[in-house]
Amino acid sequence: MKEVNYNELKKGGFMRQVQKGYFSMRLRVVGGRLSAEQLKKIYEVANKYGRGYIHLTARQGVEIPFIKLEDIEAVKKELSEAGIEPGACGPRVRTITACQGSSICPNGIIDTTELANECDKRYYAQELPHKFKIGITGCGNNCLKAEENDLGIKGAVKPEWEKSNCTFCGLCQAVCPTKAIQIDEKNKEITIDRDKCTYCGRCVKSCPTNSWKGKPGYLLYFGGMFGNNIALGKQILPILFSKEDVHKVIQATLEFYKKYGKQGERFRNTIERVGWDIFKKELEKAIENERGDLDE
């Protein structure tokens, strides 16, 4: 009997169950999106090879439990007919999660689906010292909880006020969640405290006279993790406006982890051990060639 390489099976998305000879198959899902045809195929496979149900994971993944060892190749073949691939497990870049973003959600600032697909093509399943999670959320409502990921991306807007059209109605001040906007009615001026501003863009979206203008961008968070140990990711770079800069930073982050991370060490622990200042310099170096300075 041929020896079973369980590590290779896990790497390919098949995780051993407590029931001997059975595996739960993780599927590759990008940004939580599956077509109706793909859902139909998953339904058929779960009925034919599993026990007629699936498991939806906390990170927008789909798993089909109770796949027999001898059925694995047949399952992979049938799923591939609908463009469905096994997911990634173990020490590598995991499923890219995303909310629906600006293409669907009225609050969305960035196209999360497009960015998730790009990240999936560029980084998915890259080998690393430990699992690595990337999550993309479209706005400050933070549905995907960017700070909980090893690398989280949040849609953001840098607001600028133009006095000429302003009626000083006070709506921008009222909707600002951090009270960063102050209106001086006597002198007909509005000030914004940049230290308090979270770039949520509510002032821009709510302004009835378009006196608030905003440039969409990206806030990045590093080192978040949940599990046995919990830590929120840190924003150590200013808002980025170029998507290519975002990709440069992501690639630099993965290279940093490959260079300094110890096998079995979570990314946050690598940063803490090596130093946040060193990590930040690596990121800035990655984007300084085409951007002379960072927008503060």
Side-chain angles (χ1 to χ4, degrees), residues 103-116:
S103 63
I104 297 292
C105 179
N107 295 316
I109 296 170
I110 59 172
D111 189 333
T112 54
T113 300
E114 181 180 71
L115 184 55

Side-chain angles (χ1 to χ4, degrees), residues 119 150 159 161 166 219 240 266 277 293:
C119 288
D150 294 282
W161 176 63
C166 185
L219 296 176
L240 301 177
R266 288 299 300 270
D277 289 343
D293 55 359

Side-chain angles (χ1 to χ4, degrees), residues 91-152:
R92 50 194 56 85
V93 177
R94 299 288 188 86
T95 297
I96 311 296
T97 60
C99 68
Q100 296 199 82
S102 60
S103 63
I104 297 292
C105 179
N107 295 316
I109 296 170
I110 59 172
D111 189 333
T112 54
T113 300
E114 181 180 71
L115 184 55
N117 285 326
E118 290 176 7
C119 288
D120 178 76
K121 290 175 183 176
R122 295 191 189 202
Y123 318 116
Y124 182 73
Q126 279 195 31
E127 301 283 337
L128 294 168
H130 206 298
K131 61 184 176 183
F132 192 93
K133 300 175 181 180
I134 299 175
I136 307 168
T137 195
C139 70
N141 288 341
N142 206 14
C143 296
L144 254 291
K145 303 176 180 63
E147 295 87 345
E148 294 183 6
N149 290 270
D150 294 282
L151 196 160

Side-chain angles (χ1 to χ4, degrees), residues 93 122-123 126-129 251-263 267 270:
V93 177
R122 295 191 189 202
Y123 318 116
Q126 279 195 31
E127 301 283 337
L128 294 168
Q251 189 59 50
T253 298
L254 298 178
E255 292 301 326
F256 176 90
Y257 195 18
K258 291 175 186 177
K259 180 179 179 181
Y260 294 105
K262 297 179 180 179
Q263 199 63 33
F267 178 55
T270 299

